[in-house]
Amino acid sequence: MRRQTRALRFLGLFLAMVIAGVPGCWSRKEIDSLGFITIAGLDAYGDTGRILLTVHFAKPFAIATEQAARGAQEKPFWVVNVEGETMSSAVRELFLNAPRTPFWGHCRLILVGEELARRGIKDVVDWFDRNGRVGKRPNVAVVKGGTAAELLQGEFSLERMPVQGYTGLLESASLMLSRFRTSCLVELTRILEEEGMEPVLPAFDIVRVRSGSDDAGELVRTEITTTAKLAGFAVFRGDKLVGWLDEEESRFYHLIGGLFVEADYIDVPDPHYPGKVVSLQLTRSRGEVDPVVSGDRVSFRVRVWVRARVTGVQREFDPVKTPSDWSDLERAFEKEIEAQVAQVVSKAKSLNADIFGFGASLYRNAPQLWARLKDAWDDMFPVLAVEVEVDAALLRTGVVLRSIRER
Amino acid sequence: MLTVDKKDIIGPSQFVGLLTLSRIIPVTVGFPLLTATEKPQDAWVASLLGTLVSVPVVLAITGLSLRHPGRTVIQYSQDLLGPVFGKLIGLTLTAYWFMTAADVARALGEAFVEGAMPETPLVAFLIVACAAGAATARCGIEVIARMAEIVAYGAILLLLPIPLLAHDVVKFDNLRPFLAGGIAGLVRPASVAVAFFVQFMVAGMLVPHLNRPERAPAFAFYSVLVSGFVLVWVSAVLVMIFGSRASALFLPAYALGRVISIAQSVERVDVVILALLTVGSLLKIALFLWATAVALQQMLGLEEGRCLFYPLASLAVSLGVLAFKDYLEFVRFFIRSWPVYSLMLGTTVTGVLGLASLVRGRTIRRQGR
C-alpha cells in the first residue's frame, strides 16, 4: 500500500514537471507580441458602405527609451489605415498590416468621422460593446467637418502621445468648462437604448497648423502639421448625426441637464450700458426637466437654478452705493440665462433630437402616457410646449466691493 | 455511512458563507434574473420580492432538519418514507445537486472563454473546474466552508463599493419608473430568484455538520438576507450604470469591473472580479459535488464515499459540455425551464417530507399515548 502511494506521488510529481515544462498554453498573449491600440478612428469609406478604420499603435520602444527622455523626434505611435465591409472585417485587415497582434484593452478614444456618423454608428458601436477586450470606458467623439483618418494624423505640442492629447483635452475641458463633457462607450450604449433620449457626443475640429503637407508616413517628427480643437457637440437622432451644438449652446445644454460645471464664466449684457458686458462666474447651478401632464396633453417645464459672482465689469460699478444696479444686473442675468436656455431648446427642436430627455422624463413620471405617445414622439417633439423657469441670483462681487473710480 | 467527526464540523459563519456564496455566484455569472426581467429597472424589486418569498421556503427546508437531528435529508427521507420512496426523493435531490455542479462549471467555462481566453476550448475549463472542485470536495465540508466564508464576504465587500468607484457613470434616474412592467412583470424574474434559493436544499446535508444545528433555520434566514441584499444591490447598481442594457450583459459582475476607472490608474478591476468569481464557482462546484457524493454514499450504503468525487467530476464535465448546444440555450434554460423544475422540485420534496414528518409525528404521539 505504501509502495503504491509512493508510486502515485512520483507519478504526480512527474506529471507536474512535464506540465510545467510545456511551453505556453492556449490563448497565451506575450506582451512583446502585442500591438497596443490607443485610438480607433472610424470613417465611411467612399459611397461603398465600407468602413475605414484608422488606429494608433503605441510604440513602446519609442516611448520608454533614453532617447525619448531626451525628447527624441521618433513618433511614439504608428498610424495604420485599413478598410473593410464591416467593422469586424476591417479589424481583421489589421492583422495583415501590423506585425504584432492588435490589443484593444488600452484603446482610450473612439473617433467617428462626420460622414459615418451621419450614416449611423450603431453597427460600429456594437463591435466595441460586444468585444470583451475593449474596456467600457473609452471616450467617444465625432470629427466635425472631416474624417477621423485626417484628424489622427494630428499631434499635440504638449503631449508625445496623441491619445493623451485628445483625452487630456476632453478631460480638462470637462473639468473647467461647462461646454464639454466626456462621453464614454458605456454611456453611449445606454443612451442609444434609452426611451425618449438622444445622444450627444463631443466634437473635434481639425486644426491645420501647416497646410499642404502630409506627415502620414513620417517616422520622425519634424513639426506638427495638424492638431485638434474641441468644437461643441454632435447631436444624434437615434444613431445618426443630425446637427451640432456650438460652444455656447453646449454650455446651456449642460445647464439644463444639471451638468453645468461650477466656476465657468458667462458674459451678460450690461443693463445700463448697451454694448458693454458684465462677466459672471457661476458658483452653483441645478437644472431639471419636468413634464406637466393634464389628461393626454403634455408640456414641459425646464427649471434652472443658478448662483454667480461678479468677476469683471467694463464701467464704474458700486452696488453698495446703488443697490438698484445690483438688482438690475440680477434681472439681466436671469433674462440672459432664460434666453439662452430657450434658444438651445429650440435648436434641439429644430433638429428634432430630444437631447434633454423630455421623453425620458415623461417615461419616468408617467409611463402609461409615454407608452401611448412614444410612437408619435418624433412628430410631437418639434412642437412641444416648453416653459423655462430661471431662478438666478448674484451672491458676491469678488474680493472688492466696487470697481476703480474714475478720477 | 456518513459519520460526523470533529474534523467536519462547521461554524455558523461558515454555514452562512457557504449558502450565501452558492446564491451569489449566479448573480456574477449570467444573472438569469436580470435577463428574465422585461423592464430591467424592475430587477431590484423582483430581487427583493424573490428574497422575501424565499424566506418561508428556506425556513421550511432547514426546519425539517431540526425534526431529525444528526440525520441528513437523504437519511431522514428514508426514515420517513421508507427505503423505496425515500431513496426516490434522495435520488431526485442528488440529481439536482449534481446538475447544479455541472451547470456552475459550464457557466464558469463560458465566462472564461468569452471574458478572458477565447481561443481555449470550453472543455478545458470544465475539466480544470470540476477537477479542482472534486479535489476540494475530497478535503471535506469543513475545508470548503472555511474557504467559502472568506470568499463570500470578500465578494460582498468587492461588490458593495462599485457605485462609488464608478460614480461618474451611475445614474439614479435609470431605476425609474418604479414597476414599469407592472406587478405581472415581476412574476418571472422573482420566480427565477426563488428557484435559485431552492438550491439551499443542500442545507439538508450541511445541518448535521453544524456546531449549533438547532439554530440552522436562523442561520439559513441570515443567508437569505445577506444574499438577497447582494441580489438587490447588484441588480440596482447594474441598472443605474447600464440602464436597460443591463439585461443584455453576459457577465454582469465582470462588466461592472470594466466600468471602474479612477484617474486612469485604477482600472480593469474585472480581473479581481474574475478571480473571485472563479474561486467562488470552484467552491460551489465542490459543495454540490460533495453533497452528491455523500448522498450517493448514504443511499448506496457505501463505507467510503471519497472514491466517488473524481468519477462524479468527470461526469459533471460531460454533462456541462453536452447538456447545452451553446450559451444561448444555457441562458434560455435558466430563465424558462429551470425555474419551473427547481421550484417544483423544491416545493414537492419539502411538501412531501414535511407532510410525512407531520403524519409520523402524530402517529408516534398517538402510539405514545
Side-chain angles (χ1 to χ4, degrees), chain A residues 85-128:
Chain A
E85 200 70 49
T86 59
M87 182 64 196
S88 299
S89 60
V91 169
R92 277 200 302 275
E93 287 293 309
L94 279 178
F95 288 91
L96 302 177
N97 291 268
R100 294 184 177 196
T101 310
F103 179 75
W104 289 88
H106 291 286
C107 179
R108 291 204 174 278
L109 178 66
I110 300 165
L111 281 170
V112 185
E114 182 172 341
E115 183 57 34
L116 181 65
R118 287 196 186 277
R119 280 189 202 173
I121 55 171
K122 212 175 244 176
D123 294 349
V124 289
V125 167
D126 179 74
W127 186 87
F128 288 98

Side-chain angles (χ1 to χ4, degrees), chain A residues 43 112-115 143-151 204 206 208:
Chain A
D43 289 301
V112 185
E114 182 172 341
E115 183 57 34
V143 184
K144 190 175 179 181
T147 63
E150 207 179 342
L151 186 69
F204 279 108
I206 302 170
R208 287 176 186 87

